[in-house]
Amino acid sequence: MLFPLPKLMKKIWALLPVLTLFWVAGSLFIPVAIGQEDTANKSRLDAAQSLLESMTPEEKVGQLFLVTFTGSQLTLNSEVVDLIVDYHIGGVMLQSENDNFSDESNIAADLVLMNNSLQELAILGRSSRLDSNTISDGLGGEEVEENNATQEIFEEIPIFIGTTHGGGETAELQSGLTQLPRQLAIGSTWQPDAASTVGQVLGRELEGLGFNLLFNPSLNVAETEQVGTFAREVSMTDSFGESPYWVGLFAENYIFGVKEGSNGRIAVIGSDFPGAGGSDRPLNSEIATVRKTLQEMQDEDLVPFMMVSGSGQLSTTVDGFLTAHLRYQGLQGNIDTRSNPISFDGQALETLFQLEPMANWREEGGMLVSGELGAPAIQQFYATADDPFPHRRVAKDALLAGNDLLYTGDFAATDNPIVEAANIKDAINWFVEQYSADPTFRVRVDEAALRILQTKIEIYDNDLSLLNVLVDEAEAVEGVGSSDGLVSDIVRNGATQLSPRPEDNPEPLPGPPNVNNAIIVFTDSRQKLQCTDCKTTLSPNPDSLQDRILSLYGPDASNQVNPARVFSFSFDDLEEYLDSDLPILVDPTEPITSTGLITEPISFPTNYLVQDALANADWVVFLPQNESSALGSSSAMNRLLSERPEVLGGKVTAVFALGYPVDLDSTAVSQVTAYYALYDTGDASIDTAARILFGDLPPRGASPISVNAVRYDLDRITAPNPAQIIGLTLINLGDDEDNDLSDFIPGDNVRLQTGIILDYNNNPVPDGTLVEFIQEDRVQGGYSVIADVPTSGGRASFDFVLSGRVGQFRLRAAAGQAIASDEVDIAILENDTAQVEVITPTPEPTSTPTQTPIPTATATEPPTETPTPTSTPILVAEPTEPEIRIT
């Protein structure tokens, strides 16, 4: 695990995949980088080991506990203060459900104040923000004046202050910070830089507020058949998409961005290990079973976890994994309701961490964080007639299974924070007793505490002093919430046209609307609360799209819309209309006073207004979220399409999906004019919908999950596109100059390398896509496959020694259905010389693939230029029995 490196080193790391093409350069750079990583790891380990040896059993045990607490204000009587000062807990998690956030305008400043107070309590045993006196007299240090408070007089260390704040439904803070898009919206851009940008914004803002622990990103690989039951219901299962490779690539860049934005001061915990996308139950509510073999897990769910722990393309790795409360048949055998979830199964976790690169990641200090130990699924699993929640056993089993940091959320059978805190204290005290009595338990505690200390030393660059840990309260809130422009660009680049398919009809809407058209908008609005006493907000507001349309195209703008002819309703209003008998008749009575004058406007029932607006509308726009979600449920749009399709006859109907685009089936899709996916409910999505509706913004994204209703199969989409000619380059590994094609002679070490192979969306194919290198003997005839090589960064290559056997040979490449490539002709002549020519065949007319922009380059391998073919034909030949090295 590395911090974001200085600019020079980051460039070196980014170039390493290219440098390995050249043996000399590889020998110069690779050992240096590895040596620096080894030195950093050893220094961190030594510092953590030294600190661990100086700690008491109470302090070591306390480090293992990550707790929750209630409220947004700290007092001397707060249970969390006692847990920090006297029980030396390792960290706290702030959550909106525990009212840790207010909705005041100064929420950022309030958070900085609270988080700095928490760190003072951990390091000094007191906080000047709470009281000027020492809180506890059992800390082993002497009381000092305030101006000396930064001196390390107590053997205390910083605590983790964590959050699950992310984008979309995972946003803990609904106000005060930049509205970030959900992971699926990022994945729909197919641009890894987008994930890095979001990560940078998130890292910068959270670190500025005093957070140093983040339970994000989700590393789950979405599975289309489970999206309707599990993935869209639980915010923690939000995913970058359905392709394991692309999920891993986006996660790498997201983590890199968080580290860069926070200057390395946030520990990133990826969830939900070892992958929850195959579950058919909401996470934490019930222990579900994933029926996959270990090999299937390695091919699918585990790919992102492996990529962020060392096998990916970037140098930055994740700090820890959050273990999932799920059972995995491929790891745990014939499981039943008595089988432990994998988060409590040490043997299963050990099996996983024997796999590389996760084995090395774990050995170097990779941390495991338990899923919420008081989750309903765990309480149900452990409950007995005598004890509804045996908290000691739960904590012990989680630790012995391999979890290092024990997340004690909802750590009681009752929803009582006092009981929860008492259970945590009791578990800590019992752990201390076990530490002294049981040598095996002591070893496990030390091992877990060491990983936690390594992580804290890493994020604070080996300086755990209060002066280094506290954030500047005057400067911390500057820039918070100011990156909406960056987010808007990402959402726009991810907007997807699902139907009609872009290759069939790139401009499906017969528009845009004009000043004479009536537009009716139905918005699926869900209530959101940042705290119990906070003001309820609607996401999105039913009038949000109407307001944005009028601001962009109303009388004060381009004057394309008449405000009197735009109407907005919620999905609840639409439900009321659908539940009514048609036609809806009203006979309003004008309210009058004794003088006969009208005192207020006539008020019509909502169902009548919906009926009237639908009858007169030229355009009908739907903004659905998913029918089943953690925030609510609505099937109003589908009910209208199935129960009363006649009311939409002759109208232009546009659907902008704000969640997973899976709620419309094939029949419903055929009833609407256009079907788009925006994947998110934020302001940027509303703005994007308005611009698409009026033809100002072409949808540029592509769905990162399969959409069966429009026959969009991601496995097919990410396969090599046959409508391409695969580029080929022959590289002389011993030529460090211009690699002239005339410089080859028998005995040279050479590399045959493809260009970037594209899928149907014009993106690089996933790593691991097999490429066949084929040889043709042009004298004796016959073909053979000389190498079957997986791609990396969209390319494939193999190395061999140019043979001295006289002959003429041709090399080409094929990947899946993409069988056309450049042809490399090699001739070995009698005078022990070689001649080489690269020929690009003339492409046959084919259908044009979907035009989606190729992602901008991230910190990955840059393209290698294909040498220009010589103008004079040269006979070419192929080596006999080539020595192949797959790189």
Side-chain angles (χ1 to χ4, degrees):
M1 292 176 291
L2 298 176
F3 293 119
L5 301 172
K7 290 184 178 179
L8 176 60
M9 283 307 301
K10 281 190 289 186
K11 291 180 179 179
I12 292 174
W13 274 103
L15 289 173
L16 277 178
V18 179
L19 296 173
T20 56
L21 297 177
F22 303 93
W23 291 352
V24 174
S27 64
L28 289 175
F29 285 92
I30 294 177
V32 172
I34 293 176
Q36 288 176 341
E37 181 175 355
D38 287 344
T39 300
N41 289 337
K42 186 176 186 305
S43 174
R44 190 167 61 246
L45 176 60
D46 289 345
Q49 187 66 53
S50 177
L51 181 56
L52 183 69
E53 292 172 358
S54 70
M55 295 167 64
T56 66
E58 290 80 5
E59 291 170 334
K60 293 176 183 179
V61 167
Q63 283 297 307
L64 311 185
F65 287 79
L66 180 71
V67 311
T68 59
F69 65 95
T70 303
S72 59
Q73 301 291 328
L74 294 178
T75 68
L76 290 176
N77 296 323
S78 298
E79 290 288 350
V80 71
V81 173
D82 190 28
L83 286 168
I84 293 172
V85 175
D86 289 329
Y87 289 84
H88 316 287
I89 58 168
V92 298
M93 284 293 292
L94 303 188
Q95 301 172 321
S96 58
E97 67 181 69
N98 288 328
D99 291 338
N100 295 140
F101 311 119
S102 66
D103 63 350
E104 302 297 329
S105 58
N106 59 344
I107 181 175
D110 288 345
L111 272 173
V112 173
L113 179 63
M114 182 167 69
N115 290 343
N116 274 347
S117 299
L118 291 169
Q119 294 294 9
E120 284 186 335
L121 290 168
I123 296 174
L124 297 178
R126 67 184 183 125
S127 173
S128 60
R129 294 158 177 79
L130 299 180
D131 188 81
S132 61
N133 298 318
T134 302
I135 295 174
S136 174
D137 58 2
L139 299 175
E142 59 183 86
E143 190 173 342
V144 295
E145 297 296 328
E146 183 61 28
N147 58 1
N148 292 325
T150 59
Q151 298 178 7
E152 298 181 29
I153 59 170
F154 296 101
E155 288 185 344
E156 296 293 320
I157 55 179
I159 60 170
F160 285 130
I161 302 177
T163 179
T164 60
H165 181 76
E169 293 182 7
T170 65
E172 285 281 356
L173 289 152
Q174 302 299 325
S175 61
L177 274 68
T178 299
Q179 283 188 344
L180 300 177
R182 66 188 302 176
Q183 288 182 212
L184 202 67
I186 302 170
S188 67
T189 67
W190 297 85
Q191 298 175 4
D193 271 353
S196 179
T197 298
V198 172
Q200 287 178 6
V201 173
L202 180 60
R204 182 179 65 252
E205 295 190 348
L206 290 182
E207 191 276 332
L209 297 177
F211 290 98
N212 58 15
L213 183 71
L214 175 64
F215 281 11
N216 257 329
S218 164
L219 301 178
N220 293 319
V221 177
E223 294 192 14
T224 305
E225 62 268 25
Q226 305 297 358
V227 165
T229 58
F230 170 65
R232 72 185 182 197
E233 289 188 12
V234 185
S235 60
M236 285 294 287
T237 64
D238 198 4
S239 170
F240 286 115
E242 193 177 334
S243 164
Y245 164 74
W246 281 97
V247 171
L249 188 59
F250 273 97
E252 278 190 279
N253 281 269
Y254 188 97
I255 293 166
F256 180 88
V258 171
K259 290 290 188 181
E260 183 135 294
S262 67
N263 296 311
R265 290 167 65 96
I266 289 183
V268 180
I269 310 299
S271 64
D272 300 284
F273 184 77
S279 173
D280 60 356
R281 297 288 191 276
L283 194 65
N284 291 334
S285 68
E286 184 179 353
I287 300 175
T289 297
V290 176
R291 300 189 181 278
K292 292 185 179 181
T293 66
L294 178 57
Q295 187 58 55
E296 288 174 329
M297 292 178 65
Q298 288 181 258
D299 293 340
E300 300 167 8
D301 298 77
L302 284 172
V303 169
F305 294 94
M306 290 181 169
M307 290 178 68
V308 301
S309 59
S311 70
Q313 300 178 14
L314 302 183
S315 59
T316 301
T317 56
V318 73
D319 295 283
F321 294 138
L322 186 75
T323 56
H325 297 321
L326 297 170
R327 301 183 180 100
Y328 294 82
Q329 190 171 41
L331 283 169
Q332 298 171 281
N334 295 322
I335 53 182
D336 57 31
T337 57
R338 296 166 296 178
S339 301
N340 285 331
I342 197 171
S343 48
F344 289 80
D345 190 330
Q347 185 175 351
L349 289 175
E350 183 178 356
T351 298
L352 290 172
F353 284 108
Q354 290 174 351
L355 304 173
E356 290 294 351
M358 294 189 300
N360 185 64
W361 172 84
R362 183 72 169 149
E363 183 180 347
E364 292 183 352
M367 186 170 59
L368 282 189
V369 183
S370 73
E372 200 170 27
L373 295 184
I378 300 304
Q379 294 206 22
Q380 182 183 38
F381 179 74
Y382 273 93
T384 66
D386 297 327
D387 190 348
F389 185 64
H391 57 276
R392 289 185 179 182
R393 181 186 167 197
V394 170
K396 181 201 70 172
D397 288 355
L399 177 68
L400 296 183
N403 296 285
D404 305 303
L405 191 60
L406 307 179
Y407 178 25
T408 58
D410 295 324
F411 203 59
T414 178
D415 187 16
N416 187 322
I418 296 178
V419 176
E420 185 175 337
N423 283 352
I424 295 170
K425 294 174 184 179
D426 181 69
I428 291 175
N429 288 333
W430 185 66
F431 269 34
V432 172
E433 293 175 8
Q434 294 300 302
Y435 185 91
S436 301
D438 184 348
T440 301
F441 189 81
R442 180 163 59 248
V443 169
R444 180 67 196 102
V445 168
D446 285 349
E447 179 186 66
L450 185 64
R451 296 182 192 280
I452 294 167
L453 294 176
Q454 280 183 263
T455 304
K456 292 182 177 182
I457 287 170
E458 179 181 0
I459 63 176
Y460 287 117
D461 200 16
N462 211 7
D463 180 3
L464 302 184
S465 68
L466 185 65
L467 184 63
N468 186 47
V469 171
L470 295 186
V471 294
D472 190 305
E473 297 177 16
E475 299 178 1
V477 297
E478 291 185 7
V480 172
S482 62
S483 300
D484 290 330
L486 291 173
V487 171
S488 295
D489 290 341
I490 291 170
V491 172
R492 290 171 186 167
N493 287 334
T496 303
Q497 179 181 319
L498 295 172
S499 177
R501 295 169 63 161
E503 59 266 36
D504 299 331
N505 185 359
E507 298 180 0
L509 290 177
N514 60 53
V515 72
N516 296 316
N517 291 150
I519 306 170
I520 181 172
V521 178
F522 293 104
T523 302
D524 189 1
S525 299
R526 310 286 174 88
Q527 290 188 352
K528 287 190 176 183
L529 279 175
Q530 189 157 283
C531 65
T532 303
D533 296 327
C534 292
K535 179 181 178 182
T536 300
T537 59
L538 293 176
S539 178
N541 190 286
D543 296 327
S544 57
L545 181 58
Q546 174 180 332
D547 293 343
R548 193 60 184 145
I549 287 173
L550 294 178
S551 67
L552 291 172
Y553 307 104
D556 294 333
S558 60
N559 201 27
Q560 293 175 254
V561 177
N562 180 354
R565 296 183 64 77
V566 183
F567 307 92
S568 293
F569 298 96
S570 69
F571 269 38
D572 288 341
D573 296 334
L574 182 56
E575 290 273 9
E576 183 180 340
Y577 161 75
L578 292 169
D579 290 337
S580 306
D581 294 328
L582 293 184
I584 302 169
L585 304 176
V586 294
D587 183 19
T589 302
E590 296 182 357
I592 57 175
T593 65
S594 57
T595 60
L597 298 177
I598 297 177
T599 59
E600 57 184 63
I602 299 173
S603 178
F604 292 97
T606 299
N607 57 356
Y608 177 83
L609 295 175
V610 172
Q611 174 186 261
D612 186 62
L614 279 171
N616 294 287
D618 301 293
W619 290 68
V620 182
V621 182
F622 298 96
L623 298 176
Q625 299 188 50
N626 295 113
E627 285 190 10
S628 177
S629 82
L631 298 178
S633 176
S634 176
S635 57
M637 176 183 66
N638 275 316
R639 283 189 61 194
L640 180 64
L641 292 172
S642 62
E643 296 175 15
R644 298 177 185 175
E646 70 282 355
V647 302
L648 298 177
K651 306 180 190 302
V652 179
T653 54
V655 177
F656 293 92
L658 302 180
Y660 285 83
V662 295
D663 278 339
L664 292 183
D665 58 22
S666 298
T667 300
V669 170
S670 69
Q671 294 175 268
V672 301
T673 309
Y675 184 23
Y676 299 96
L678 301 177
Y679 315 99
D680 194 64
T681 61
D683 294 341
S685 294
I686 302 302
D687 175 83
T688 299
R691 295 177 188 274
I692 291 176
L693 195 65
F694 281 80
D696 287 347
L697 181 68
R700 301 187 181 97
S703 175
I705 63 171
S706 297
V707 183
N708 297 331
V710 296
R711 301 186 66 184
Y712 180 87
D713 181 0
L714 201 72
D715 285 341
R716 184 189 72 84
I717 292 297
T718 55
N721 191 335
Q724 67 181 306
I725 296 176
I726 299 173
L728 285 177
T729 305
L730 194 67
I731 301 170
N732 190 334
L733 296 177
D735 186 353
D736 57 359
E737 297 180 357
D738 57 3
N739 198 49
D740 194 311
L741 292 180
S742 64
D743 291 342
F744 290 89
I745 60 174
D748 280 347
N749 294 305
V750 297
R751 169 169 293 156
L752 184 63
Q753 177 176 283
T754 71
I756 294 180
I757 301 173
L758 302 177
D759 65 13
Y760 283 82
N761 279 335
N762 281 353
N763 296 312
V765 294
D767 280 6
T769 301
L770 289 180
V771 176
E772 292 182 338
F773 288 98
I774 304 166
Q775 67 179 2
E776 173 191 358
D777 189 321
R778 302 185 67 198
V779 176
Q780 298 181 4
Y783 298 84
S784 63
V785 176
I786 57 175
D788 226 355
V789 183
T791 58
S792 176
R795 303 175 185 274
S797 65
F798 81 100
D799 300 349
F800 58 93
V801 177
L802 198 59
S803 172
R805 183 170 72 88
V806 175
Q808 298 182 19
F809 303 89
R810 173 167 292 168
L811 303 179
R812 57 188 178 84
Q817 298 294 319
I819 59 175
S821 77
D822 288 346
E823 297 168 344
V824 179
D825 286 351
I826 304 175
I828 305 299
L829 306 181
E830 295 283 355
N831 59 356
D832 202 26
T833 60
Q835 294 180 329
V836 177
E837 181 185 16
V838 179
I839 302 171
T840 301
T842 302
E844 298 181 2
T846 59
S847 59
T848 304
T850 304
Q851 296 299 310
T852 302
I854 297 174
T856 55
T858 61
T860 56
E861 176 185 354
T864 302
E865 296 294 332
T866 302
T868 305
T870 56
S871 57
T872 305
I874 303 173
L875 294 177
V876 277
E878 178 186 28
T880 305
E881 298 180 354
E883 299 178 8
I884 300 172
R885 294 191 310 281
I886 299 176
T887 58

